[in-house]
Amino acid sequence: MNQEELDTLREGWDFEAKLAAGRDGKGAIPDSMWETYSAMANTSGGVILLGARELKDGSLEFRGLGDITRVETDLWNQLQNPEKVSANILTRESVEQVEVNGVDILLIHVPKASRADRPVFIKGSWETGTYVRVHEGDRRLSMDVARRMVADAINDRDASVLEDFTLDDLHAGTIRRYREFFAARRPEHPYLEKDDEDFLIAIGAAKRRRGGDGVIRPTLAGLWMLGDEIAIRDLLPHWHLSYKELPEDPNDSRRWLDRVHPDGTWNANIFAFYLRVIHKLHSDLKIPFEIEQGQFRKDETPVHVAIREALVNTLVHADYRGTTGVRIIKKRSGFEFINPGLLLISTQQVWEGGVSEPRNPMLHRLFGLPQLGEREGSGGPTMRKVWREQHWRAPQITQDVEHNETHLELRQESLFPDAIVNELVERWGARFTEQDELGRTILVMAEVEESINHGTVAALSDAHPRDITLKLQELVRQGLLDSHGARRGMTYTPGVQPNLSLFEEAERSSQSSLEDGASLIQRIAGSSWAAQKDVRRAIFLLCADEYRTVSEIAAALNRKPITVQQNYVSKMVADGELQTKFSDSTHPKQAYRTTQHGKPA
């Protein structure tokens, strides 16, 4: 693995470097690594590098591990120690011994832990040893949030029977509406022949105690879905389901145009909330007149289906033990669905589909029986496919780890607004139009958002994370994007048209060497890769007549300033090919000029 490959890995994944020198300097597993291991496993996974440290400018200093075999052996031994960490979620393929810059380092690829393994905690205590990743740092969870993660490990918790509740705690009107809805969607289903008690048992909303008094009691999912609001609040005092429609004009003084929340005018259980809100979400969508099978009017478009899937997913994945509640927001730009609780699978798995891991599987069944929700993890691909067909900006999922919430945004905004595309064509011409789809998408996103990062691109594209990283780097080298910061904190803004004065100066030179140099400079600037000796020669020629700053050199060569400084200029100064303008190496106006005795590489 070389430096460029490692930088690609750093940008595409959550990444943490640790020196891991040990007391003898030959390497050891640092205690802080286990906090990072726990945090990555409980959040979205990541990569831990042992044998290097990150410097203030974001670059890595490689020290290596003197006895890397001993360090790896110690890693596997500690993974089996429950007093050190609660679960080993690594495989042999997760750990790599690699050489970078002549030293040995250890790369540990930490996956997101499965539902059954979470929380991954350290020092034998989930109460005080559970961590998550927040802004590239490890943060210990409060006992309350950690407790909810422990509860999430129970796969069918919402199917449990509520011993202190009876069928009287369910809402008769909601049961009747659910049966009517069920009958309309699946009129031949055999469950419809049962009386209410047996119907509730069949769908999983209630259970009869066996070997006891035979009393039928509601399940947790049954109470949430069909229960009386007062009974639900006896169990969950913070119960809250909310919908808001916001004004189109952001300057409108009204906080909302329409609202649904538990205000005492309706029985606020999940099914009643669903029926009220789905109508409001669908109300302004255009409905084409279409005849299905020659006899029935079809009033649902794929957009309707995608929005319904988003609403159902929000309701079945919510952690109702939280204090914030479910919030649905309709606004001019589209829809936002917010549920308490983090994802139980990775964001990538949501969009790829095929993995069904609802937080509340019995609640999911109650929606699935009347065909209101898909199974087998098809909701994510459905939403993404429909939004792509409309040429809208792709659905985006973000996780607010600090507040233990998941946000899904469905924006009804064009992915390629005509005005933005026209502006980019005018600015860059063929340099924009000849980009592939990923390149054009990134450039449009940067223009619309003004600042983007790897994560925002990944959320809007099906491209592999590494391909996104390479494309971002390529666009920076071409001058179409400007980069800021380092690591996962790196952001990208629209590039500005390059200053061609350096090319023009070289072309106007009467010296044949500089005439050749002008061609060389243009070739390097127009390519994403060039031999190191060619880049050094180009820098030598650029600085032949006057002092040039690193920024000027980087702009002429279409490279990042930090790359030019670290990989070329510093080495050329050390080799005597360039001289500095100021003796102070940190001078803010430092510039470089070819030395009289220097020779190009």
Side-chain angles (χ1 to χ4, degrees):
M1 176 175 288
N2 58 35
Q3 179 70 52
E4 183 178 356
E5 291 173 327
L6 187 57
D7 286 340
T8 298
L9 185 66
R10 293 175 71 197
E11 188 171 355
W13 293 91
D14 195 359
F15 191 97
E16 184 80 17
K18 297 183 182 294
L19 201 55
R23 293 182 178 179
D24 59 5
K26 293 185 178 181
I29 303 296
D31 288 340
S32 64
M33 193 213 75
W34 296 111
E35 295 178 2
T36 303
Y37 173 86
S38 165
M40 289 180 172
N42 291 327
T43 311
S44 299
V47 176
I48 302 173
L49 183 153
L50 300 184
R53 66 175 179 176
E54 184 179 8
L55 303 179
K56 290 183 179 180
D57 64 0
S59 63
L60 291 176
E61 178 186 8
F62 297 96
R63 295 287 188 86
L65 301 172
D67 190 344
I68 192 170
T69 301
R70 184 188 71 180
V71 174
E72 182 176 354
T73 300
D74 190 31
L75 169 69
W76 292 112
N77 288 337
Q78 292 192 46
L79 281 167
Q80 301 305 320
N81 180 1
E83 292 302 313
K84 181 64 69 173
V85 64
S86 63
N88 174 16
I89 60 172
L90 303 184
T91 65
R92 287 293 174 182
E93 291 73 25
S94 303
V95 181
E96 294 182 82
Q97 293 187 18
V98 298
E99 181 181 335
V100 178
N101 293 356
V103 299
D104 293 325
I105 61 175
L106 201 65
L107 274 179
I108 305 169
H109 298 258
V110 182
K112 181 182 178 73
S114 69
R115 180 177 188 171
D117 286 329
R118 286 197 305 273
V120 174
F121 54 88
I122 64 175
K123 298 179 181 178
S125 171
W126 64 262
E127 295 94 334
T128 60
T130 299
Y131 290 79
V132 292
R133 292 288 280 182
V134 179
H135 306 308
E136 295 188 340
D138 305 327
R139 179 170 299 182
R140 189 170 64 185
L141 283 182
S142 67
M143 187 181 299
D144 178 62
V145 178
R147 182 181 293 109
R148 286 155 64 182
M149 193 176 287
V150 171
D152 278 340
I154 304 174
N155 186 57
D156 58 351
R157 183 172 179 270
D158 69 325
S160 59
V161 176
L162 296 171
E163 295 293 345
D164 296 331
F165 292 76
T166 69
L167 292 189
D168 290 338
D169 291 307
L170 300 184
H171 189 263
T174 305
I175 296 172
R176 182 178 65 253
R177 294 197 67 187
Y178 182 88
R179 291 197 64 149
E180 292 170 352
F181 201 91
F182 195 125
R185 303 280 290 190
R186 307 182 70 178
E188 304 299 324
H189 200 286
Y191 286 178
L192 295 172
E193 299 175 3
K194 300 177 181 291
D195 61 26
D196 277 354
E197 289 188 354
D198 288 339
F199 176 79
L200 292 171
I201 294 172
I203 64 175
K207 290 182 180 180
R208 177 180 281 110
R209 292 185 59 182
R210 297 185 180 277
D213 54 15
V215 174
I216 301 174
R217 301 187 186 279
T219 61
L220 192 56
L223 183 68
W224 292 343
M225 186 77 161
L226 307 171
D228 185 271
E229 182 182 346
I230 295 176
I232 297 174
R233 291 192 182 280
D234 285 343
L235 184 68
L236 300 172
H238 298 290
W239 181 258
H240 189 74
L241 306 168
S242 170
Y243 163 87
K244 284 184 181 179
E245 181 179 352
L246 304 182
E248 290 191 11
D249 184 355
N251 297 318
D252 195 317
S253 60
R254 293 173 296 178
R255 295 175 58 190
W256 42 266
L257 300 178
D258 191 10
R259 186 181 183 191
V260 175
H261 68 290
D263 60 356
T265 62
W266 61 288
N267 185 69
N269 58 37
I270 290 177
F271 190 64
F273 179 75
Y274 167 84
L275 292 178
R276 284 173 175 257
V277 170
I278 192 64
H279 171 72
K280 295 178 182 295
L281 293 175
H282 283 173
S283 63
D284 296 325
L285 297 176
K286 296 179 180 180
I287 302 176
F289 185 89
E290 182 180 345
I291 301 297
E292 186 177 56
Q293 298 178 352
Q295 53 183 329
F296 299 111
R297 175 171 175 167
K298 183 179 179 181
D299 287 342
E300 272 197 344
T301 69
V303 176
H304 289 80
V305 175
I307 292 173
R308 184 178 70 232
E309 194 69 33
L311 176 58
V312 171
N313 278 351
T314 299
L315 294 171
V316 302
H317 287 286
D319 181 357
Y320 292 104
R321 295 159 295 166
T323 59
T324 56
V326 170
R327 285 111 67 206
I328 313 298
I329 301 171
K330 181 179 180 180
K331 45 192 172 183
R332 179 172 56 91
S333 60
F335 310 91
E336 184 173 8
F337 302 82
I338 307 169
N339 66 263
L342 303 178
L343 291 174
L344 298 179
I345 58 176
S346 69
T347 304
Q348 185 177 356
Q349 287 176 313
V350 173
W351 298 130
E352 290 178 351
V355 180
S356 181
E357 189 69 86
R359 176 169 274 106
N360 306 300
M362 185 56 71
L363 193 58
H364 200 177
R365 170 180 166 82
L366 290 173
F367 274 106
L369 284 170
Q371 298 178 333
L372 294 177
E374 301 295 332
R375 293 194 65 83
E376 305 305 330
S378 64
T382 296
M383 286 182 274
R384 210 164 200 182
K385 177 177 181 292
V386 170
W387 248 243
R388 184 183 294 113
E389 290 173 347
Q390 300 298 319
H391 302 291
W392 289 334
R393 298 179 62 188
Q396 185 171 2
I397 291 176
T398 56
Q399 296 190 81
D400 184 344
V401 177
E402 292 180 277
H403 297 95
N404 197 48
E405 290 183 341
T406 300
H407 295 238
L408 166 66
E409 283 194 85
L410 297 179
R411 298 187 184 182
Q412 293 177 293
E413 297 175 337
S414 174
L415 181 60
F416 295 101
D418 291 340
I420 297 297
V421 172
N422 292 337
E423 183 177 337
L424 288 169
V425 170
E426 182 177 350
R427 185 189 309 165
W428 300 113
R431 296 179 68 186
F432 171 74
T433 58
E434 292 179 3
Q435 292 285 336
D436 59 17
E437 181 180 356
L438 178 58
R440 292 195 304 273
T441 300
I442 291 174
L443 292 174
V444 171
M445 284 178 58
E447 200 70 24
V448 171
E449 300 287 349
E450 298 183 352
S451 178
I452 60 173
N453 58 32
H454 187 283
T456 55
V457 177
L460 298 177
S461 172
D462 292 328
H464 190 277
R466 184 175 186 276
D467 293 333
I468 293 173
T469 297
L470 294 176
K471 180 59 67 174
L472 288 167
Q473 293 173 349
E474 177 186 329
L475 294 173
V476 169
R477 286 194 294 268
Q478 293 175 357
L480 301 175
L481 290 179
D482 291 331
S483 61
H484 313 272
R487 296 180 60 195
R488 295 268 295 197
M490 182 172 287
T491 59
Y492 302 86
T493 57
V496 295
Q497 288 178 301
N499 183 347
L500 300 179
S501 59
L502 295 178
F503 300 136
E504 294 164 356
E505 289 178 19
E507 289 172 347
R508 287 197 299 266
S509 174
S510 60
Q511 301 177 31
S512 60
S513 62
L514 288 183
E515 289 174 0
D516 293 339
S519 299
L520 175 62
I521 293 166
Q522 289 178 325
R523 176 169 63 81
I524 292 173
S527 174
S528 61
W529 182 89
Q532 189 176 63
K533 67 176 183 177
D534 289 341
V535 178
R536 289 180 65 140
R537 181 170 183 271
I539 294 173
F540 186 92
L541 296 173
L542 278 169
C543 300
D545 292 332
E546 62 181 283
Y547 285 101
R548 306 286 191 189
T549 66
V550 168
S551 295
E552 289 175 328
I553 299 170
L557 300 180
N558 209 2
R559 296 294 193 271
K560 292 191 290 186
I562 190 172
T563 300
V564 170
Q565 179 71 64
Q566 293 181 349
N567 295 352
Y568 302 103
V569 170
S570 295
K571 295 179 181 178
M572 292 175 72
V573 171
D575 293 343
E577 296 175 11
L578 295 179
Q579 62 185 19
T580 59
K581 185 175 182 179
F582 304 98
S583 58
D584 181 2
S585 62
T586 62
H587 197 288
K589 295 184 179 180
Q590 186 64 276
Y592 305 87
R593 184 175 180 176
T594 302
T595 59
Q596 291 183 353
H597 61 277
K599 294 181 179 180

